[in-house]
Amino acid sequence: MWRLPLEAPFEEDIELAVIDDEGVHALVFPCRRLSYGWIDAVSGEILDIHPTHWRPWQNRRCDDSGLH
């Protein structure tokens, strides 16, 4: 189940969904919430995103993100 970004835990791998020019979609890599923003949990890169919702990360997801 998707939850609000403000409810996202800190320092845990989670799946984020965002809205961009292509619409709403889930990011294909795990992310982490830190005190200063969001990072790619794999590379450590700081992300310039504004997530719409989140859910716990699972290693493999099916192609359907369930966002429709």
Side-chain angles (χ1 to χ4, degrees), residues 33-52:
R33 181 180 181 192
L34 302 177
S35 61
Y36 54 85
W38 299 96
I39 64 166
D40 177 327
V42 175
S43 70
E45 179 182 349
I46 297 172
L47 302 173
D48 184 17
I49 58 169
H50 300 283
T52 58

Side-chain angles (χ1 to χ4, degrees), residues 4-14 16 31-39:
L4 297 173
L6 292 175
E7 299 172 347
F10 288 90
E11 302 286 339
E12 287 184 34
D13 289 359
I14 60 174
L16 288 179
C31 299
R32 286 191 177 194
R33 181 180 181 192
L34 302 177
S35 61
Y36 54 85
W38 299 96
I39 64 166

Side-chain angles (χ1 to χ4, degrees), residues 14-18 25-31 40 42 57-63 65:
I14 60 174
E15 180 178 16
L16 288 179
V18 297
H25 62 91
L27 299 178
V28 298
F29 51 86
C31 299
D40 177 327
V42 175
W57 176 258
Q58 294 179 11
N59 288 334
R60 294 184 62 97
R61 293 257 185 231
C62 63
D63 290 338
S65 65

